[in-house]
Every structure is written in structure tokens, then in C-alpha cells.
Amino acid sequence: MKLAFRRQRLKTRQPFATFHGVTSEKETIVVELKYDGLVGLGEVVPSALYKQSLESAESALVRMEAMLDWGPLAVEAVVRRLLTEFDDQRAAVCGVDAALHDWIGKRLSVPVFRLLGLEPPQCRTMFTIGLSEPAAIREKVREALAAGFCALKVKVGTDADEQTLAIIREVFDGPLFLDANEAWSPAVALDRLRRFARFRPTVVEQPVARPDWQALAGLSRLGVALIIADESCQRPADILRLHGYVDGVNIKLDKCGGIREALRMIGLARTLGMQVMLGCFVSSSLAIAPALALASLADYVDLDGHLLLAEDPFEGISCFAGKLELSDRPGLGVRPRTAWPQP
Ligand SMILES: [Mg+2]
């Protein structure tokens, strides 16, 4: 198999802020896997949260090419080998895992969700509103509701949170998900959850820093909202560690290493009676498509990373009234909007 890759530059429609920082531009990596006359595509979305960069992902990709000699149909064996060798570069593994699935789907002329034995992914995604000033919050909520989204996710973690939540609850009575992105100490989290109870959140995601995961048990027992671990949950073993401390986990393919590992994590979480959210980072549709293929397995779908972009270089996922639909083209179902210049 030949593995080639190139960077793609993405711009968000508006600056997107979380407790970790602001994104208005980012680069991801498009992976092309060529074998037997077909090309499989995948996207690598490295995250500084997991000590990854474009450079660290690219150097992993260069080393991976020599480890693909079993061919794409041995996807499980190949990805296991990559996860063992590149445990800290799971975003890069995810891009190759996606390209392998895309290739197999194209070879067998079936969409990836069919290949996995799953239902067509037709699901409602929540829409995420970043940290913003009150006027901007009002405008973003108005836009999201006008576009038909039925569930909202709001980034929290500042002194303005109560004001933000009050503004949203003035006009929106539906499911409200809060994501603190590790913003609070355990004591502050306890205080915030008590104060936020009046806004009836459905879920509070990652209220405390990763190493404070044991404090999540106390927050879950408060009964204000379901507590879901995101940054604390990267690998399958994290689910075992978190069981009994949280109500559920946010599984992101970019974070865990792709479809194969995500399926293991979803199975594990389900076996342990935990809830499953499927999440994403800001990325093009190419990174959203493999996660969307698994959407029928999740309780909550938060796959709006491509909707935050000014221009998405890939097409194949439609969004009407908050409902995502993946094309039923073979493979991942997405393709570049414009032909790439040939080297
Ligand atoms: Mg999160």
C-alpha cells in the first residue's frame, strides 16, 4: 500500500472558543491510501490536548507506510499493530483507519456503515456554541434554532456561565448539554453544578481536570445532570477506570484511534451500562464521516465539527433541521469538492 498525505487549511465561520483556547483557523492532514487501483481517504486531526501536532502526526505517518503490508482487508490486524506502535499518535492512526475502511467500502461497493453491519446513520446532532459575549450567544442560539437544531451544547467554564445559560433558557427549553473542558476544581465544580441545576442541563461534560476523575463520582451523585467524561477518556482502559465514576463517555475517533478502537470502546461502555456520546473536533467532513457511520450506536451525537467551518473541502454529509445524513456512496461517502492538483 502507498500512503501519501497533505495538509489542508480550515477556517471557522466565527472564532470558536472553549476553556482550552480559541480556534479560527486550523490545519488537518488528508491521508491517501493507494492500493490495487483504488484510493482510500482519511483525515488526521491532531490535538495538542493529547500532545500531538501536525509534525508528530506526519512523522508517525511516514513510519506507518512500512507497516501496512498485510493489505487493507486485514484492517483489524493492521490497526491493532499501529495502535501498539503509535499509542501516543492516535489521531494519525485514526486517519489511516478511516482510509482503510474507505478503501474496503469502495472495493466492495458498499458504504462503511453497511460494511460494519449498521443502520444508515440518520441522526440529530446537537449544535455547539462556544464561549462568547452575551450578544453573540443570543445570535448563535437564534441561528441554531432557526436552522432546526433541537439540542444545544454550550461551552462553559467562565464567570459569565450563569448569564449565558439564562440567555439560552429564555428562548430554548430543549436538551442542553454543558461542556466545561476541565475548567473547574472538584470544589468549584460541585458549586457550579448546584447553581446550574435551575437551568436543567441534560449532561455536564468533563467538569474537572483529567487527573481529578475520581471527583466525578461525587458530581454524578448530585443528580443535577448526567456526567460524561471526555478528556479523561481516550483509550478502552479509561472506560474501565471511569466505570462507577461517570454516567457515560464521549468517544471521539480522532482521540481514540479510529473506527476499530471506537467500536471496542462503545462495546465496553455498553457492557458496563454506561452512556455513549460520539464527539469530534473542528475538522472537515472527511473526519466526521467515519464517526457518523457509527452514529446508530450512540445515545448522543455531537458531530458538528464540519458545520463550524466557513468552507468544508469535502461533501457528502447533508444537514437539514439538525439532522445529519451521510450519502450512501461506497466507502466513507464523502469526496473532495474540487479536484486536487496532481503532483
Ligand atoms: Mg468535550
Side-chain angles (χ1 to χ4, degrees):
M1 278 190 274
K2 285 292 290 175
L3 196 152
F5 54 85
R6 60 180 182 86
R7 293 187 185 187
Q8 70 176 359
R9 185 175 290 276
L10 306 173
K11 276 188 182 162
T12 58
R13 284 193 289 137
Q14 293 166 333
F16 179 70
T18 76
F19 184 73
H20 290 306
V22 184
T23 305
S24 49
E25 263 194 2
K26 82 189 282 186
E27 280 185 292
T28 62
I29 302 165
V30 177
V31 172
E32 275 184 64
L33 208 136
K34 293 182 188 164
Y35 184 70
D36 203 15
L38 281 176
V39 180
L41 297 177
E43 184 171 358
V44 178
V45 188
S47 169
L49 287 175
Y50 303 99
K51 300 193 172 64
Q52 299 157 354
S53 61
L54 291 163
E55 291 74 20
S56 71
E58 285 168 342
S59 89
L61 290 170
V62 167
R63 290 173 54 211
M64 281 179 195
E65 190 177 18
M67 300 173 69
L68 304 176
D69 47 1
W70 292 330
L73 289 172
V75 56
E76 174 66 20
V78 170
V79 171
R80 269 183 192 269
R81 189 178 182 183
L82 297 180
L83 285 169
T84 308
E85 193 69 22
F86 301 97
D87 180 56
D88 58 346
Q89 294 300 321
R90 287 176 174 247
V93 178
C94 174
V96 175
D97 168 283
L100 288 165
H101 284 89
D102 190 40
W103 188 96
I104 298 170
K106 286 171 175 165
R107 165 49 46 96
L108 301 179
S109 294
V110 287
V112 166
F113 64 86
R114 285 264 179 253
L115 194 68
L116 301 172
L118 299 174
E119 301 156 46
Q122 294 184 348
C123 59
R124 290 194 175 276
T125 179
M126 57 190 84
F127 186 76
T128 307
I129 295 171
L131 297 173
S132 311
E133 295 298 315
I137 295 278
R138 263 183 235 283
E139 180 58 18
K140 287 177 186 178
V141 173
R142 194 194 59 74
E143 275 181 29
L145 298 181
F149 289 96
C150 305
L152 298 179
K153 173 156 153 179
V154 187
K155 296 291 186 182
V156 292
T158 73
D159 291 340
D161 291 342
E162 278 183 87
Q163 188 185 10
T164 297
L165 297 176
I167 289 171
I168 294 171
R169 275 304 188 214
E170 275 172 27
V171 292
F172 176 67
D173 199 37
L176 188 56
F177 293 70
L178 312 185
D179 189 356
N181 291 110
E182 309 186 89
W184 302 317
S185 68
V188 170
L190 210 55
D191 170 70
R192 293 291 191 276
L193 254 72
R194 288 196 178 109
R195 281 163 46 182
F196 295 172
R198 68 190 168 101
F199 300 111
R200 295 168 283 109
T202 303
V203 158
V204 176
E205 208 180 308
Q206 196 68 39
V208 296
R210 258 167 279 188
D212 293 333
W213 58 274
Q214 283 170 311
L216 295 168
L219 301 174
S220 174
R221 278 196 298 270
L222 269 186
V224 169
L226 297 174
I227 304 295
I228 286 190
D230 179 358
E231 285 86 342
S232 288
C233 181
Q234 191 187 1
R235 299 170 175 83
D238 294 325
I239 295 183
L240 292 174
R241 189 169 50 88
L242 288 161
H243 178 234
Y245 291 86
V246 295
D247 301 289
V249 285
N250 184 342
I251 296 171
K252 295 175 181 163
L253 272 57
D254 323 272
K255 188 171 65 163
C256 75
I259 289 174
R260 312 309 298 183
E261 192 77 325
L263 286 171
R264 271 188 282 281
M265 292 176 76
I266 293 168
L268 194 51
R270 286 275 173 249
T271 304
L272 294 168
M274 295 161 80
Q275 302 236 302
V276 172
M277 179 186 284
L278 271 178
C280 64
F281 297 117
V282 172
S283 58
S284 81
S285 286
L286 179 58
I288 301 297
L292 192 51
L294 308 184
S296 61
L297 300 175
D299 298 296
Y300 309 110
V301 175
D302 179 23
L303 296 176
D304 63 349
H306 62 305
L307 300 176
L308 302 172
L309 298 180
E311 276 177 55
D312 188 342
F314 284 82
E315 57 92 12
I317 302 175
S318 63
C319 181
F320 297 108
K323 199 169 150 197
L324 296 178
E325 255 186 73
L326 186 57
S327 85
D328 57 4
R329 289 197 287 258
L332 291 173
V334 290
R335 60 188 176 197
R337 273 183 208 280
T338 49
W340 298 332
Q342 291 301 312

